[in-house]
Amino acid sequence: MSASRTRPMTIGELSRQSGVPVKTLRAYTDLGLIYTLGRSPAGYRLYTADALWCVRFIGRLRGLGLTVAEIGELTTANLHGPDTPVGAHLAELLHRSRERLRQRIAAQQQILNRIEKFQAEHRADLAEADLCWAGDPQCA
């Protein structure tokens, strides 16, 4: 092992290497998603290179749409040992993420449809330089 692999790093170093803000790393630590070696004599949280892997893996899971709470569920399931089917749990979490995304896409599509309908209904009004809507008190 290299010296950098065995040498503990501070939260600032972990932040620089991972690109994740210190505030987020503190939250991940407080939630039990990443572990510390403890604290330095100066009170800084200390991490191993394993924490860097965890932070990157959390980033990949977040990129797949999993919430921090869901990642915590997965971590908890993993801690319960080999009897817990982590793969099946991850598949269920990915299914949830996919459904959330489909719902957001549907909601955005509805907004897009409303915009298109509005523009079609008010094409002439929108082309005017001085727009005045019926009932607008500023247009009286």
Side-chain angles (χ1 to χ4, degrees):
M1 273 188 198
S2 69
S4 64
R5 172 99 173 120
T6 59
R7 185 180 61 81
M9 64 182 124
T10 64
I11 198 165
E13 290 173 288
L14 182 58
S15 175
R16 280 188 293 282
Q17 289 189 33
S18 66
V20 175
V22 169
K23 184 176 180 179
T24 302
L25 294 173
R26 283 191 193 111
Y28 288 170
T29 302
D30 293 344
L31 291 168
L33 299 179
I34 54 177
Y35 298 102
T36 68
L37 289 171
R39 294 200 179 248
S40 71
Y44 295 105
R45 297 173 195 221
L46 297 174
Y47 299 89
T48 66
D50 291 344
L52 183 58
W53 179 89
C54 286
V55 170
R56 288 179 176 153
F57 190 66
I58 290 166
R60 288 187 70 192
L61 294 174
R62 296 284 292 142
L64 293 172
L66 270 63
T67 65
V68 172
E70 288 171 334
I71 295 168
E73 284 179 34
L74 192 61
T75 303
T76 302
N78 191 36
L79 292 175
H80 286 104
D83 295 337
T84 305
V86 176
H89 193 96
L90 177 56
E92 173 57 31
L93 294 175
L94 291 171
H95 174 75
R96 284 191 223 166
S97 177
R98 187 179 305 110
E99 289 308 309
R100 278 193 306 270
L101 182 56
R102 284 184 177 138
Q103 289 172 1
R104 285 195 304 267
I105 290 170
Q108 295 299 308
Q109 186 63 51
Q110 288 176 349
I111 293 170
L112 182 59
N113 293 343
R114 285 194 302 269
I115 290 170
E116 290 170 354
K117 181 180 177 187
F118 184 90
Q119 284 183 311
E121 291 173 354
H122 297 89
R123 191 167 315 278
D125 296 329
L126 294 170
E128 292 181 20
D130 189 21
L131 185 62
C132 189
W133 296 100
D136 184 348
Q138 300 294 320
C139 295

